[in-house]
Amino acid sequence: MKSFLLGAAAVMCLAAPALAQQPQFSTARINENIRVLSSDAFEGRAPASPAETKTVDHIIKQFQAAGLQPGGDLQADGKRAWTQAVPLALFETAGPVKVTATAGGVTQSWTQGEQIAIRAAQTSAERVTVQNAPIVFVGYGVTAPERNWNDFKGQDLRGKIALVLVNDPDFETGQGDFGGKAMTYYGRWTYKYEEAARQGAVGFIVIHETAPASYGWATVKNSNTNAIFDIIRQDPKAAHAPIEGWLQRDATVDLFRKAGLDFDALKKQAQTRDFRPVELKGVSLSVDYPVKVEKVVSRNVVGLLPGATRPNEHVIFSGHWDHLGVGQPDAKGDRIYNGAIDNASGIASLIELANAFGHGPRPQRSVVFLAVTAEEKGLLGSEYYADHPLYPLATTVAVLNMDSMNMRGTTRDLAPSGDAPATLQDDLVSVAGQQGLRVNPDPKPEAGHFYRSDHFPFVKRGVPALSFGGGVDLAKGGVAAGTAAEAAYVRDRYHQPADEFDPNWDLSGMLQEVGVFYALGRKLADSGEWPVWKQGAEFKAERDKTAAQRK
Ligand SMILES: [Zn+2]
């Protein structure tokens, strides 16, 4: 909190708003796009559902009206389509998920979504049946040779289910080899499941604790009891263990106690290098449920504005169009996850940017407007694009991604989703500063936001990319009001059916964000600048391989 206040003082002498060249953004159009995309008729915009067609058609119409050209897949006639086909595998539980835990000779049933949330298996098996699998606590489940850290110590996990802590080993101590409170990739649940497959375990079950997960059980439950998607894989078993799930902290503590173990004491041990896996004696887990496996094709929507003088160099604006669809009802019985803020607001912003560029002076470089699918399923639309780029990544200047805009009103700051160790971050700071906005350092590096947005599949492949959103220092009420509003959003709306359109939103903060996206995109699109990774950034080597292609 202190750093925000210091930042505010520093910025007062800098702010020299240069808004003269800013286009007019249409609040009427923004409201209408959010309202339509998040209406019940769009059924929460699940990929490969009937709602996909409505959503994709709506975005294409808006891109056309903005003056964009189709920028998607090349067709037989040599012309581009408006979309990029994204083939995905879809896994759904096809009947009741039966889970029983046996401890000290007593067997109890767990209810899917209550004590436990098991994802539909992504191994291509049509039934998952595990009987009395032994349970091993593996601490944080990390293998990090470069940090001289291995939680497994040679433990054989074949035939066993591992319980694993979320986040990384120094999250709670705040100091250590994993960035202290900041999360490394080792802290992400995606990493834990990747490690489960490498270890040959029957399954990894992540223990849910709100602080290190950075979200509550409702989020875990909704995301994991839904249909699960993956890109199509040659050998799905090499990437996924049969059981991937989450377990409530209370159920975990109870299980440890029945095995004569103290959860909190073992967690402390897991925060040290000397930790060794611990088998829960007399405890086993049985799981049985059918899986429906389907192959589907979803779509990214791609609009293109060719550059005037450097058409083979591309700046990408991106945002995800999908949300969670129709799922478990909330307390009011509402089953439609409308996703108004997440991310109809981002798509409405993408459409505003398309209009500003499409109806403004032609940029020197080409600008791509990319509305990706399946973000909520694990960044799959952006992963697919980055793996099958329509325009070469080597000459992709930067990716600027928007996810969940600020509906809380005017702010004095912006918040990036993690701090990119790249000159692109400096460009953001300078452009925002010209509009009187300071850029806070990531206020919650422990949440691992840098790995959780659609810019990350590009980052992994070396392309400078970032996501940012509105800050918390509200013009009305300051940091206290902003922080409270953010907490209320996470508690009451985030990934819940209550993320609905509100005609009384104050869009002034969102307009600030769109203004910064525009100015940063303009700066990149009208120059020959190539943002670079800074020394020591883990993504620099990948980018440097193609340096000769950038002039
Ligand atoms: Zn989102």
Side-chain angles (χ1 to χ4, degrees):
M1 211 92 339
K2 196 173 243 172
S3 62
F4 294 157
L5 299 175
L6 287 174
V11 122
M12 285 206 264
C13 37
L14 279 180
L19 298 167
Q21 289 161 6
Q22 283 288 62
Q24 279 295 342
F25 301 110
S26 161
T27 50
R29 186 170 48 211
I30 290 173
N31 264 322
E32 183 60 7
N33 280 316
I34 302 178
R35 189 190 66 75
V36 168
L37 289 165
S38 68
S39 62
D40 282 358
F42 280 64
E43 296 174 319
R45 304 185 306 281
S49 74
E52 167 162 336
T53 309
K54 284 184 184 173
T55 307
V56 166
D57 288 351
H58 181 83
I59 298 169
I60 291 172
K61 246 188 226 129
Q62 295 294 321
F63 280 180
Q64 278 170 327
L68 304 186
Q69 298 179 9
D73 286 327
L74 267 178
Q75 302 170 112
D77 61 4
K79 294 186 179 140
R80 286 192 181 272
W82 277 106
T83 56
Q84 176 183 41
V86 179
L88 298 172
L90 164 62
F91 308 93
E92 267 180 297
T93 54
V97 179
K98 292 184 198 143
V99 188
T100 56
T102 301
V106 180
T107 297
Q108 62 180 134
S109 291
W110 280 338
T111 304
Q112 167 80 335
E114 284 184 27
Q115 293 86 8
I116 197 161
I118 293 184
R119 340 185 84 198
Q122 298 168 76
T123 54
S124 286
E126 294 192 340
R127 186 162 203 107
V128 174
T129 305
V130 173
Q131 278 185 320
N132 299 316
I135 298 185
V136 183
F137 174 61
V138 297
Y140 289 88
V142 169
T143 307
E146 81 286 0
R147 288 165 160 91
N148 186 28
W149 193 284
N150 184 333
D151 282 326
F152 300 99
K153 308 285 195 302
Q155 167 84 44
D156 184 359
L157 288 173
R158 282 171 298 178
K160 297 172 188 165
I161 291 174
L163 284 175
V164 63
L165 295 161
V166 69
N167 217 308
D168 56 31
D170 61 8
F171 166 74
E172 290 199 345
T173 60
Q175 250 186 350
D177 299 307
F178 294 84
K181 258 203 138 18
M183 189 195 278
T184 62
Y185 189 56
Y186 298 109
R188 284 286 290 154
W189 56 265
T190 50
Y191 168 79
K192 315 281 180 187
Y193 293 154
E194 287 163 12
E195 192 62 29
R198 284 191 288 266
Q199 297 286 334
V202 169
F204 264 32
I205 295 178
V206 180
I207 301 161
H208 178 259
E209 295 184 280
T210 301
S214 85
Y215 35 74
W217 179 256
T219 300
V220 168
K221 171 185 140 180
N222 295 338
S223 307
N224 289 276
T225 57
N226 219 286
I228 301 287
F229 289 75
D230 196 7
I231 57 170
I232 302 229
R233 296 182 192 272
Q234 290 284 19
D235 181 8
K237 287 187 191 74
H240 296 285
I243 292 178
E244 299 172 333
W246 290 72
L247 184 63
Q248 292 259 37
R249 185 183 197 280
D250 289 351
T252 308
V253 171
D254 182 53
L255 215 54
F256 274 63
R257 209 183 45 230
K258 285 174 175 152
L261 300 170
D262 177 344
F263 172 71
D264 286 307
L266 281 172
K267 185 161 80 170
K268 285 250 149 54
Q269 280 182 30
Q271 291 160 3
T272 68
R273 264 200 180 80
D274 301 331
F275 170 81
R276 306 190 73 84
V278 179
E279 186 155 341
L280 276 66
K281 291 268 153 50
V283 176
S284 67
L285 201 69
S286 298
V287 176
D288 180 60
Y289 68 93
V291 189
K292 188 173 90 185
V293 186
E294 249 183 290
K295 293 201 171 139
V296 296
V297 179
S298 187
R299 283 165 292 169
N300 293 331
V301 186
V302 194
L304 175 71
L305 195 64
T309 56
R310 305 168 76 110
N312 296 324
E313 301 171 2
H314 294 81
V315 175
I316 299 181
F317 286 110
S318 65
H320 71 91
W321 62 253
D322 68 302
H323 194 58
L324 300 171
V326 179
Q328 300 263 349
D330 66 6
K332 292 181 189 152
D334 188 356
R335 303 174 63 94
I336 301 176
Y337 289 68
N338 304 81
I341 291 179
D342 186 8
N343 185 34
S345 69
I347 293 299
S349 303
L350 193 65
I351 291 167
E352 281 317 294
L353 291 164
N355 276 283
F357 277 92
H359 297 136
R362 177 58 65 94
Q364 303 306 306
R365 282 167 157 165
S366 296
V367 182
V368 176
F369 298 85
L370 175 62
V372 295
T373 181
E375 186 272 355
E376 304 287 6
K377 309 299 179 191
L379 313 181
L380 297 178
S382 52
E383 176 72 23
Y384 188 84
Y385 180 99
D387 206 44
H388 304 77
L390 294 164
Y391 309 99
L393 295 184
T395 45
T396 295
V397 180
V399 179
L400 306 176
N401 182 62
M402 52 213 81
D403 191 346
S404 303
M405 309 304 280
N406 168 29
M407 301 302 179
R408 302 186 285 271
T410 309
T411 62
R412 289 183 276 249
D413 59 350
L414 288 178
S417 292
D419 300 324
T423 56
L424 183 60
Q425 185 90 10
D426 302 337
D427 291 335
L428 169 65
V429 170
S430 119
V431 164
Q434 284 162 13
Q435 302 195 17
L437 288 161
R438 70 181 188 281
V439 176
N440 292 323
D442 184 359
K444 254 177 96 180
E446 66 273 25
H449 284 292
F450 195 62
Y451 317 110
R452 285 169 59 179
S453 264
D454 281 315
H455 66 278
F456 190 63
F458 293 93
V459 167
K460 281 197 289 191
R461 293 166 176 88
V463 181
L466 52 76
S467 301
F468 66 87
V472 291
D473 188 1
L474 294 183
K476 284 185 205 145
V479 172
T483 310
E486 171 73 24
Y489 166 70
V490 171
R491 188 187 63 228
D492 301 333
R493 290 176 189 258
Y494 173 66
H495 281 199
Q496 297 171 49
D499 180 3
E500 290 178 330
F501 176 67
D502 178 350
N504 298 316
W505 271 326
D506 176 354
L507 297 183
S508 59
M510 177 176 174
L511 291 174
Q512 289 178 301
E513 289 176 78
V514 176
V516 173
F517 272 110
Y518 178 81
L520 182 52
R522 256 291 158 207
K523 178 177 191 296
L524 295 167
D526 283 341
S527 75
E529 178 193 341
W530 295 101
V532 296
W533 296 101
K534 294 183 179 173
Q535 286 303 332
E538 59 263 59
F539 317 106
K540 187 175 186 303
E542 192 57 35
R543 188 63 163 174
D544 287 350
K545 286 179 193 165
T546 59
Q549 295 177 54
R550 289 181 292 279
K551 295 178 191 93

